[in-house]
Amino acid sequence: MSSASVQSLTPFGVARSTVQGKPLTQDELNKIDKFMKASLYLCLGMLYLQKNPLLKEPLKKEHLKSRLLGHWGSDSGQIFTYIHFNRLIKKYGLNGLFVSGPGHGAPAVLSQSYLEGVYSEVYPNITEDEEGMRLFFKQFSFPGGIGSHATPETPGSLHEGGELGYSISHAFGTVFDNPNLITVTMVGDGESETGPLATSWHSTKFLNPITDGAVLPILHLNGYKINNPTVLSRISHEELEALFIGYGWKPYFVEGSDPETMHQAMAATLEQAVLEIKQYQKQARDSGKAFRPRWPMVVLRSPKGWTAPRDVSGHHLEGYWRAHQIPLADVASNTEHLALLESWMRSYKPDELFVDGKLIPELKALVPEGNARMSANPVANGGLVRKALRLPDFTKYALQVSPGVTNAPSMSNMAKWLRDVVAANMTNFRLFGPDETESNKLGAVYEAGKKVWMADYLPEDEDAGNLANEGRVMEILSEHTVEGWLEGYVLSGRHGLLNSYEPFIHIIDSMVNQHCKWIEKCLEVEWRAKVSSLNILLTATVWRQDHNGFTHQDPGFLDVVANKSPEVVRIYLPPDGNTLLSVMNHCLDSKNYVNVIVADKQDHLQYLNMDEAIAHCTKGLGIWDWASTFPDEEPDLVMASCGDVPTMESLAATALLRQYLPDLKIRFVNVVDLFKLISNVDHPHGLTDKEFRAIFTDDKPIIFNFHSYPWLVHRLTYKRPGHNNIHVRGYKEKGNIDTPLELAIRNETDRFSLAIDAIDRLPNLKNKGSNTREKLLNEQIYARTKAFENGIDPEKYRNWRWEFGPKTSAAEGVLDQVQSKLGLGGGDQPPAAVVGTSE
């Protein structure tokens, strides 16, 4: 490799920058450099010290923390950027937010909050004096203190940076519908290697310069991850520049380690970027014509652990992977390294920067005032700026229902309500999804707001493309990106909904996991205002993915969510259209939850009128008298269901039992709020054991047909009275290209398997039960055979309807039996059209 190539990749030396100029006076430069030294001193204090915060006495082992935890490597670059953007906030009156992609470098942002005075405002015990500084140092990465990332306890943070990859998508979420905000986003070069981050660079294709703010990314090439070089730090300037030009950005380079020239270069570069952003926004807003410029970004190449000793004991430190975490890890046992640490910390001259622990006034003057301080920006505490949604009266969208007979489009009906939610909240509600809004039967929302699209257009887009520069639907085929946008949008005080195919929501398992942890921790931070809930609508569900096959069949996201804190997560499985409306209204109005709603997109049987639906959803579960037999008597059997398709199959099984065994006393139970099953000791939505017993009994067999994997219900009910009587049927990882009924048969969630299971749990039926069991088995075989012959379920199963009214006496049971033998009853319903499915 040539010396010129090596020189272009090195982070050391005098500044090399795209933008030339020296905008700083010598006095400004000196003050900025001193402010940076004060910040770096605080960072080292957080990593090492629990006593002697200002080094008023020689550093000793007893001044150190017993465990040294945290990260140093990215701190200097983050501080460098933060300080220079502060100058522009003051000069141009900017509304700025700072997102720390390498959030494990939390000392960088914590130091800024402390120096800005915000930390002492929200934590009055952490005062701006020597004792306050000591407490500030000690609490970092310390039991009973705060974590080593930009956690919810960090003022100004809405992105923790623990799991990498989401800084850019979160940042864009904050600026959508926030036209005056510039979110400065540090992107670690390790983070830049993740798939989510790589895709999120495309977010500019969805950013409208009229209605939205701007994201200013700073790609921080410090060269190394934990123990490896980073990819983008080891490719040529030409290749790196081409990469970002290809993404649609305008990259500016700032590279080097010499403080004086680096300060001038960064000051000139950030100012150029801000002026370009302002120019583009003015041009679009004055003309009223939105366009997609090449938004500016900065590539900052500086040494990892910048300002640390270059070499220690014959090994590289500054500018190398050893600077990633604790730069001198053995100071408690190595007196030479302890002395080096002291010398290093004193090189920042804390006695000249602080007076009794407080930053000197001339440096304090560099800090913006009030909410202009980035760590005080209310956008990062989104509940402070959140405005309640204007929700239309969902009851006016009710479906007219004949229980178990009406077949109607639950999802597309709810979409009409959602359309009006969008129309009533055109600046603080967006619908997000990975290219599936139309497929998921939510296309009605386009009547209120189209899909945002700032890339190029073709003439054919006029033919129902539903694209617009200014829209309310956000679609890109990256679950990570839309989830990141939604999280940033919600955390900054707005509202939204993500709709997705159920099988592929697993792509964002860990993102939702991280958001759950963030919200849970926020509940413990008293100054954090509540934000809107993260709402996830799962459709194209497992039981109607028969046409797409095995790869599209996975309802296991519910297991992931169920593992999270009961204070944060909620799971709803509305069985029909009116319950879906009620659940959606509740979820969009809620705060500080992750709500998961599971509802299929195809037409389905309807069961409850609106008043019944509201009552059912309010209770979370209940007995359906109309589907039960002898409801006022002790049941022989409980048939239970959770989910729209499982409910239909359970009802069909109940009808079969009623047809063949009319004297059987059956109680039908439906569950819409999954966490009703868990004990109230473990979840605030859980039933007491007394309430559970009143619904399910504790001594009767319960045949529970569940939407997802059956083991989840057993987990939730394991300590319930009569748990041994609960027999759960659900998806058992059996699938192929099937018909709907054949897929259910594969997994034993079909009407025949459920009815047979009930008979097997009722030994008192004896031979009578055996005869019925044989009939049901024959009918199941017939159903599968016809599916394999014709590629479609027989019409009598496809268009099955509930045929019975409520049965209250034994005489009615005899009448049912007679009608069944004569072929009478409600089986002559007109056939419905076969419901088509699409990807």
Side-chain angles (χ1 to χ4, degrees):
M1 189 173 185
S2 69
S3 60
S5 297
V6 171
Q7 182 59 33
S8 71
L9 299 182
T10 182
F12 293 103
V14 174
R16 313 178 302 276
S17 62
T18 310
V19 179
Q20 300 299 307
K22 296 181 178 181
L24 301 176
T25 67
Q26 190 62 46
D27 182 59
E28 287 175 322
L29 190 152
N30 291 339
K31 288 177 180 177
I32 286 174
D33 192 57
K34 286 181 178 179
F35 197 101
M36 183 168 173
K37 288 178 178 177
S39 305
L40 292 168
Y41 181 83
L42 293 180
C43 290
L44 286 178
M46 282 182 264
L47 295 179
Y48 285 102
L49 301 183
Q50 62 176 334
K51 295 178 182 178
N52 192 19
L54 289 169
L55 297 181
K56 288 186 175 180
E57 56 182 285
L59 185 60
K60 300 175 183 177
K61 178 181 175 181
E62 53 265 31
H63 299 151
L64 303 173
K65 298 179 184 180
S66 299
R67 289 199 306 164
L68 303 179
L69 303 170
H71 294 74
W72 166 255
S74 70
D75 293 354
S76 52
Q78 294 196 73
I79 289 166
F80 182 65
T81 301
Y82 197 111
I83 293 170
H84 280 281
F85 198 73
N86 268 349
R87 182 182 77 88
L88 300 174
I89 290 174
K90 287 176 68 70
K91 182 174 181 178
Y92 294 107
L94 304 178
N95 179 15
L97 185 68
F98 189 87
V99 168
S100 173
H104 49 267
V109 289
L110 289 166
S111 68
Q112 299 313 290
S113 181
Y114 184 80
L115 294 176
E116 288 176 343
V118 176
Y119 208 88
S120 297
E121 292 169 12
V122 298
Y123 300 108
N125 63 312
I126 308 294
T127 47
E128 293 183 78
D129 55 27
E130 184 175 357
E131 176 59 14
M133 185 183 289
R134 185 190 70 80
L135 293 173
F136 183 63
F137 288 171
K138 181 181 178 181
Q139 68 167 2
F140 178 77
S141 226
F142 199 86
I146 61 173
S148 63
H149 300 88
T151 62
E153 295 94 335
T154 306
S157 175
L158 50 65
H159 172 89
E160 181 162 340
E163 182 173 282
L164 302 178
Y166 317 129
S167 58
I168 291 289
S169 56
H170 280 168
F172 273 88
T174 68
V175 302
F176 292 139
D177 297 319
N178 215 334
N180 297 318
L181 181 66
I182 298 178
T183 299
V184 179
T185 307
M186 294 297 296
V187 180
D189 49 356
E191 179 184 22
S192 71
E193 297 174 10
T194 65
L197 196 287
T199 305
S200 65
W201 292 113
H202 287 298
S203 297
T204 55
K205 283 82 170 178
F206 304 87
L207 188 78
N208 186 314
I210 298 176
T211 59
D212 303 328
V215 173
L216 178 53
I218 315 295
L219 174 61
H220 189 199
L221 299 183
N222 65 27
Y224 294 89
K225 304 184 285 284
I226 295 174
N227 189 228
N228 273 298
T230 56
V231 172
L232 294 187
S233 72
R234 296 294 184 91
I235 62 176
S236 69
H237 256 239
E238 180 183 23
E239 186 177 352
L240 188 60
E241 187 173 25
L243 174 68
F244 287 103
I245 290 173
Y247 271 128
W249 294 85
K250 184 177 183 180
Y252 290 107
F253 287 80
V254 177
E255 303 167 280
S257 62
D258 173 64
E260 183 167 333
T261 54
M262 285 292 285
H263 283 307
Q264 292 286 14
M266 192 63 165
T269 301
L270 284 185
E271 189 155 7
Q272 174 74 19
V274 166
L275 292 176
E276 285 185 12
I277 288 169
K278 289 298 188 183
Q279 176 190 338
Y280 295 143
Q281 291 175 336
K282 185 177 189 304
Q283 178 183 340
R285 294 169 190 180
D286 288 352
S287 67
K289 296 179 180 178
F291 65 100
R292 179 171 66 94
R294 286 194 177 276
W295 295 98
M297 64 168 291
V298 177
V299 178
L300 171 63
R301 191 190 304 268
S302 64
K304 194 172 188 74
W306 189 15
T307 75
R310 171 59 172 149
D311 295 292
V312 176
S313 300
H315 296 286
H316 292 319
L317 180 59
E318 183 194 31
Y320 203 48
W321 59 263
R322 291 188 183 90
H324 182 74
Q325 295 179 330
I326 300 296
L328 299 172
D330 61 350
V331 288
S333 58
N334 187 319
T335 56
E336 180 183 345
H337 287 179
L338 180 64
L340 179 60
L341 173 62
E342 180 176 8
S343 174
W344 175 14
M345 294 186 72
R346 290 190 186 277
S347 72
Y348 297 126
K349 300 181 179 180
D351 53 324
E352 297 179 10
L353 305 174
F354 301 97
V355 176
D356 294 326
K358 187 169 186 176
L359 189 67
I360 60 176
E362 68 178 88
L363 298 184
K364 193 77 165 183
L366 299 180
V367 173
E369 297 180 356
N371 287 346
R373 298 170 295 176
M374 286 193 282
S375 65
N377 194 322
V379 170
N381 188 9
L384 295 177
V385 296
R386 176 187 183 271
K387 295 180 180 178
L389 275 182
R390 298 172 60 193
L391 292 172
D393 182 358
F394 69 93
T395 65
K396 297 185 183 302
Y397 302 78
L399 293 168
Q400 300 305 308
V401 172
S402 177
V405 175
T406 303
N407 196 62
S410 301
M411 189 63 68
S412 56
N413 181 66
M414 188 277 291
K416 299 173 184 175
W417 174 79
L418 192 61
R419 169 200 62 200
D420 295 344
V421 172
V422 171
N425 303 275
M426 291 294 284
T427 60
N428 68 334
F429 179 87
R430 294 200 185 203
L431 176 64
F432 300 81
D435 185 39
E436 291 160 4
T437 300
E438 182 70 35
S439 175
N440 288 339
K441 312 295 186 183
L442 299 173
V445 298
Y446 298 141
E447 298 170 24
K450 305 293 187 184
K451 291 177 284 190
V452 176
W453 188 256
M454 292 300 301
D456 293 341
Y457 285 73
L458 292 173
E460 50 263 38
D461 294 330
E462 295 297 322
D463 184 14
N466 291 307
L467 304 178
N469 291 155
E470 187 173 349
R472 306 311 301 164
V473 180
M474 308 294 292
E475 288 197 335
I476 183 174
L477 192 49
S478 164
E479 285 83 356
H480 288 114
T481 302
V482 291
E483 172 69 12
W485 288 346
L486 174 58
E487 289 177 4
Y489 197 68
V490 165
L491 290 171
S492 57
R494 281 72 65 75
H495 310 256
L497 170 68
L498 172 67
N499 76 100
S500 176
Y501 280 15
E502 179 183 53
F504 304 127
I505 198 68
H506 275 301
I507 293 168
I508 57 168
D509 279 358
S510 59
M511 286 189 78
V512 174
N513 174 48
Q514 293 293 314
H515 188 80
C516 288
K517 291 176 183 292
W518 178 274
I519 294 299
E520 180 183 1
K521 185 57 66 173
C522 282
L523 295 173
E524 302 172 11
V525 181
E526 60 182 19
W527 53 267
R528 284 278 179 186
K530 289 186 175 183
V531 297
S532 302
S533 295
L534 184 77
N535 299 302
I536 300 174
L537 174 62
L538 301 183
T539 186
T541 58
V542 56
W543 302 112
R544 288 299 179 264
Q545 286 290 351
D546 48 276
H547 63 296
N548 276 321
F550 199 27
T551 60
H552 283 54
Q553 298 163 8
D554 190 332
F557 185 68
L558 301 191
D559 293 77
V560 175
V561 175
N563 287 332
K564 299 298 102 186
S565 168
E567 302 301 322
V568 172
V569 294
R570 303 289 183 266
I571 297 174
Y572 302 99
L573 296 99
D576 69 355
N578 288 334
T579 53
L580 176 60
L581 283 165
S582 180
V583 165
M584 291 300 300
N585 184 79
H586 169 77
C587 291
L588 292 190
D589 197 39
S590 66
K591 300 178 186 178
N592 270 43
Y593 294 126
V594 172
N595 294 312
V596 178
I597 307 103
V598 183
D600 190 59
K601 64 184 181 181
Q602 305 298 342
D603 292 9
H604 286 288
L605 291 181
Q606 306 297 313
Y607 310 115
L608 305 177
N609 66 35
M610 184 53 76
D611 288 340
E612 293 167 338
I614 292 172
H616 187 52
C617 292
T618 301
K619 294 182 296 182
L621 82 176
I623 299 170
W624 287 0
D625 281 355
W626 59 268
S628 304
T629 61
F630 315 107
D632 294 327
E633 298 185 33
E634 184 77 10
D636 301 313
L637 169 71
V638 176
M639 297 292 288
S641 65
C642 184
D644 42 25
V645 174
T647 294
M648 181 192 71
E649 290 299 323
S650 288
L651 283 168
T654 301
L656 288 170
L657 292 171
R658 184 166 177 164
Q659 174 185 344
Y660 290 114
L661 301 168
D663 295 331
L664 198 62
K665 298 179 178 65
I666 304 171
R667 173 179 293 176
F668 195 91
V669 174
N670 180 263
V671 178
V672 60
D673 179 349
L674 185 62
F675 288 121
K676 285 293 178 181
L677 298 178
I678 199 169
S679 170
N680 67 311
V681 174
D682 300 314
H683 196 287
H685 278 207
L687 299 177
T688 65
D689 280 350
K690 183 177 180 180
E691 292 167 332
F692 186 89
R693 188 181 293 109
I695 296 289
F696 290 102
T697 77
D698 61 2
D699 59 353
K700 299 298 189 295
I702 302 163
I703 309 301
F704 197 120
N705 208 23
F706 183 46
H707 172 83
S708 186
Y709 294 99
W711 342 114
L712 178 55
V713 172
H714 285 297
R715 281 174 49 202
L716 297 177
T717 60
Y718 79 97
K719 60 181 180 181
R720 287 297 193 181
H723 171 258
N724 290 341
N725 297 320
I726 301 176
H727 309 285
V728 187
R729 297 293 172 260
Y731 187 67
K732 299 199 297 186
E733 207 64 18
K734 302 294 182 183
N736 205 331
I737 299 297
D738 303 295
T739 65
L741 182 56
E742 201 263 325
L743 176 62
I745 291 171
R746 279 180 183 270
N747 291 276
E748 300 180 309
T749 61
D750 64 290
R751 59 200 70 184
F752 309 115
S753 296
L754 296 171
I756 289 170
D757 199 10
I759 291 169
D760 291 345
R761 308 292 175 184
L762 295 166
N764 290 339
L765 292 176
K766 298 182 179 178
N767 289 334
K768 186 177 183 181
S770 299
N771 187 46
T772 298
R773 192 183 194 283
E774 194 73 7
K775 293 177 181 178
L776 294 173
L777 189 58
N778 289 340
E779 194 167 354
Q780 184 185 61
I781 294 169
Y782 168 81
R784 293 196 76 187
T785 301
K786 292 302 178 182
F788 293 152
E789 284 180 4
N790 303 317
I792 191 171
D793 290 321
E795 193 275 340
K796 66 176 180 177
Y797 306 131
R798 244 181 13 246
N799 297 313
W800 176 86
R801 300 293 187 269
W802 179 256
E803 300 179 352
F804 304 101
K807 186 195 301 181
T808 58
S809 67
E812 290 187 35
V814 173
L815 179 60
D816 281 347
Q817 195 170 30
V818 171
Q819 287 181 332
S820 176
K821 288 180 179 179
L822 293 176
L824 303 176
D828 55 347
Q829 292 293 329
V834 177
V835 177
T837 56
S838 61
E839 177 69 29

